[in-house]
Amino acid sequence: MTGRPFSARYDVILIGAGHNGLVTAGYLGKAGYRVLVLEAREILGGAATTEEIFPGFRADTGSFDAGGFLPQVVAELSLRKHGLRFVETPVVAFAPQPDGRALTLWREPGKSLAEIEQFSREDAEKFPQFQSQVQRMTEALRRMMTLTPPPLSSYHARDLLPWLRAAVDVRRMGRQGLMDFLRVLPMPVADFLDEWFENPVYKGILGSLGVRGTMAGPRSPGTALLFLYGVQGAAAKQSRSSRFVRGGMLQLAEALARAAHEHGVEIRTGCRISQVCTHAGRATGVLLDNGEEILARVVVSNASPRHTFLDLVGPEQLEVRFVREVNNIRYRGSLARVILALDALPHFRAAASREVLTKEGTLLSGHTVLCPGLDYLERAYDAAKYGQISEHPVLDLSIPTMLDASFAPPGKHLMLINVQYAPYHLAEGDWDVEKGRLGRRVIDLLDEYAPGLQNLVLHQEVLSPVDLERRFGLPEGCIYHGQMALDQLLVMRPVPGYSQYRTPIQGLYLCGAGTHPGGGVTGAPGHNAAREILHDLRLRSHPV
């Protein structure tokens, strides 16, 4: 402990007002504990927020799809009462092709089936069976998302019983279903899709989900699992999620904040933390940059494991082996974001007519995916493997002004583009220079699909992986706080032996994307961490 006087006493201090941190705070406040949330930025939401990026234009600068957010969190924290509204568009994904054709996945499975049939009758025949298998597998994964991984050496019923129940549910898939489930998880997503389909167009749309935000190609092991993780938020018999927050992602954070405030949670922005205070191996509070020390029974970090342990706690407070394991967490960000302010709506050659495009809720209202196939996706990854920016990147974009005109001035539009691949570690050059070249490359590629788009660009902002690290605290620009690889999941996340949201420092917990089940706008890490913290707080004979 630093020995400085403290200004307040809390049950819990929570570091970071990202969506997982606010979920944890909401549950702890609802349980009657006095909670203080400290956020370094002046705005809530972390990497799921909305900012005025250009004059008159508001943009989701981080995540822009909330399809995976847990329904139970919405219900248990009464988020609809606090203003949260989701928008689900008729179109899930629009995939224009270089030859002028397009495949559109609709929320209505029958319409998607008709689209796939235009490219391959055989694929269309397999489509319903594929959707059913994916739905069974994602349901099994969804049950595991809200469970706490058991300790590696535990035989305690409290730790094992929930997983035994989940195992029983998985076993109900039948012998063949169980074997398929276990076989698919470690597979490359390309192999999984090749078993089902022949046409590259549909495989390109799905394959891009298996590598989103990760430094891996579609032929890399374990990407089938990431694909299944990515479609958990999809409705029944859909290939992927496409659900946005009315008014932008900041509205999710503000609804969570209002729910927390209702239960007495205090939230302070513009408070940068320099240190987690400890005494005799126990967290006692935090020290702010301005020298203020605030004490609490429990400290919870929504920051990445790297920042929490190496910067806020300090290696000298931890065992050498644990520090080594934290240093070995792979981040390797591979995603960049390009934000374009447009003078008008672009016209994609593959669209049936400009009239269709300009109607709210049609082709450009969901995701637009530029990924013509798995070979294209693998070649994009090939460049990234060697620290190069892909000449032909994969683009996953959204035009939020199709759903809500308030994002831009009247008649103008906003385009949010996730660019895969953009490696954090460049073999040559510096991201502060190279991001301009990436922005031009993205606009040139879009202009091939939507001629004249480059003439519509009023403003552009490129967020490289380095920018994502600086802006949101995402280590190496990794949107998951650690790669979602097989050796960094479940009991191995964030490191072996510490998968239950607890840490080697007594009274210090993690609740962010670096914990189980991982990244994405799900709220699951925050939900699960709250349960474990509440369990410990209530153990009067074994205080935290």
Side-chain angles (χ1 to χ4, degrees):
M1 194 177 340
T2 63
R4 298 174 183 269
F6 61 87
S7 60
R9 177 77 185 185
Y10 296 89
D11 293 310
V12 180
I13 292 175
L14 206 148
I15 303 171
H19 77 279
N20 278 310
L22 292 172
V23 167
T24 302
Y27 278 106
L28 296 178
K30 186 178 178 180
Y33 292 98
R34 190 179 181 197
V35 181
L36 171 65
V37 179
L38 299 172
E39 168 58 43
R41 301 183 75 202
E42 296 292 345
I43 190 170
L44 303 177
T49 193
T50 310
E51 305 175 69
E52 185 171 358
I53 196 79
F54 315 117
F57 290 85
R58 295 185 306 110
D60 291 337
T61 46
S63 301
F64 57 75
D65 190 309
F69 196 75
L70 293 179
Q72 58 262 53
V73 174
V74 176
E76 291 167 0
L77 295 182
S78 303
L79 297 185
R80 294 191 183 279
K81 183 183 79 172
H82 294 289
L84 179 63
R85 297 291 183 272
F86 291 112
V87 181
E88 295 185 338
T89 64
V91 170
V92 173
F94 170 61
Q97 301 300 305
D99 61 5
R101 297 185 300 166
L103 191 155
T104 304
L105 299 179
W106 298 82
R107 193 164 299 279
E108 182 183 331
K111 296 180 73 173
S112 295
L113 185 64
E115 291 272 348
I116 295 170
E117 191 171 21
Q118 295 180 30
F119 287 84
S120 169
R121 179 171 297 179
E122 184 176 343
D123 286 356
E125 291 174 354
K126 295 179 179 179
F127 174 76
Q129 187 179 354
F130 171 77
Q131 296 291 71
S132 295
Q133 185 190 59
V134 168
Q135 185 178 356
R136 289 194 299 272
M137 291 180 178
T138 54
E139 284 176 354
L141 288 177
R142 196 176 294 120
R143 295 187 191 100
M144 299 176 190
M145 283 186 69
T146 53
L147 300 180
T148 298
L152 293 173
S153 59
S154 174
Y155 295 97
H156 196 284
R158 176 184 177 269
D159 298 320
L160 300 179
L161 186 57
W163 287 90
L164 291 175
R165 289 170 178 162
V168 170
D169 289 338
V170 172
R171 187 66 183 86
R172 288 172 182 159
M173 297 170 66
R175 179 180 177 84
Q176 187 59 50
L178 176 59
M179 292 181 64
D180 287 341
F181 182 61
L182 297 176
R183 183 180 66 88
V184 167
L185 294 183
M187 286 179 67
V189 68
D191 290 353
F192 176 51
L193 296 174
D194 284 343
E195 289 184 353
W196 284 94
F197 304 112
E198 62 179 9
N199 189 273
V201 177
Y202 187 47
K203 291 191 288 186
I205 299 175
L206 301 185
S208 64
L209 288 176
V211 300
R212 181 171 55 189
T214 190
M215 187 58 76
R219 295 184 173 86
S220 301
T223 48
L225 171 59
L226 195 57
F227 161 73
L228 294 174
Y229 184 87
V231 301
Q232 286 182 98
K237 299 185 178 179
Q238 289 180 15
S239 301
R240 58 178 295 166
S241 70
S242 182
R243 185 173 69 165
F244 307 99
V245 177
R246 175 71 69 183
M249 294 296 282
L250 177 59
Q251 298 303 311
L252 171 61
E254 291 190 340
L256 286 164
R258 285 191 287 268
H261 279 307
E262 183 179 55
H263 298 294
V265 174
E266 180 183 344
I267 301 175
R268 292 167 56 182
T269 59
C271 295
R272 187 169 296 277
I273 295 169
S274 62
Q275 180 184 342
V276 171
C277 301
T278 62
H279 179 70
R282 177 186 181 83
T284 58
V286 298
L287 181 68
L288 306 186
D289 273 1
N290 63 7
E292 179 185 7
E293 184 176 349
I294 310 174
L295 302 187
R297 295 173 61 194
V298 163
V299 176
V300 186
S301 176
N302 189 36
S304 70
R306 174 187 288 180
H307 181 59
T308 300
F309 295 119
L310 303 186
D311 299 328
L312 299 182
V313 173
E316 67 280 0
Q317 303 289 335
L318 303 161
E319 292 183 359
V320 172
R321 179 178 179 180
F322 181 81
V323 172
R324 182 171 62 248
E325 289 173 339
V326 171
N327 277 317
N328 286 339
I329 297 173
R330 296 191 311 281
Y331 294 97
R332 303 180 69 202
S334 64
L335 197 70
R337 165 65 61 80
V338 176
I339 303 173
L340 302 179
L342 303 175
D343 193 38
L345 189 68
H347 176 47
F348 282 79
R349 288 186 296 114
S353 69
R354 194 171 184 85
E355 288 73 24
V356 170
L357 282 176
T358 55
K359 293 178 181 178
E360 182 178 342
T362 52
L363 294 182
L364 296 183
S365 63
H367 289 261
T368 297
V369 181
L370 305 189
C371 181
L374 296 174
D375 289 341
Y376 180 99
L377 183 56
E378 186 71 24
R379 284 192 293 269
Y381 170 57
D382 284 341
K385 282 191 301 187
Y386 302 105
Q388 300 169 0
I389 302 172
S390 302
E391 287 293 331
H392 300 282
V394 174
L395 307 184
D396 185 338
L397 62 93
S398 167
I399 305 178
T401 41
M402 294 296 293
L403 303 171
D404 186 346
S406 70
F407 284 106
K412 311 303 180 184
H413 283 274
L414 189 71
M415 182 179 285
L416 312 177
I417 309 162
N418 283 338
V419 185
Q420 188 92 17
Y421 295 85
Y424 176 85
H425 297 286
L426 291 175
E428 297 180 0
D430 180 90
W431 264 119
D432 289 334
V433 176
E434 294 299 319
K435 68 180 183 180
R437 186 164 63 92
L438 174 64
R440 291 190 296 273
R441 185 172 301 173
V442 168
I443 291 174
D444 289 344
L445 178 59
L446 284 169
D447 203 68
E448 295 177 16
Y449 288 83
L453 179 140
Q454 58 185 343
N455 299 323
L456 300 177
V457 177
L458 300 173
H459 309 281
Q460 66 172 298
E461 176 83 4
V462 179
L463 299 177
S464 72
V466 172
D467 293 317
L468 295 177
E469 181 178 58
R470 293 169 179 164
R471 193 184 203 112
F472 302 120
L474 300 174
E476 298 183 18
C478 178
I479 62 175
Y480 301 124
H481 283 197
Q483 290 280 288
M484 300 279 287
L486 288 171
D487 63 328
Q488 293 192 167
L489 294 174
L490 291 170
V491 297
M492 312 294 282
R493 194 171 187 90
V495 297
Y498 293 95
S499 61
Q500 295 195 304
Y501 312 96
R502 300 170 181 87
T503 75
I505 304 296
Q506 193 176 16
L508 175 64
Y509 298 79
L510 298 178
C511 71
T515 63
H516 173 75
V521 184
T522 67
H527 168 275
N528 299 349
R531 179 180 59 239
E532 297 306 314
I533 296 166
L534 287 172
H535 172 267
D536 290 353
L537 283 168
R538 289 164 177 165
L539 283 179
R540 297 175 182 172
S541 59
H542 298 85
V544 293

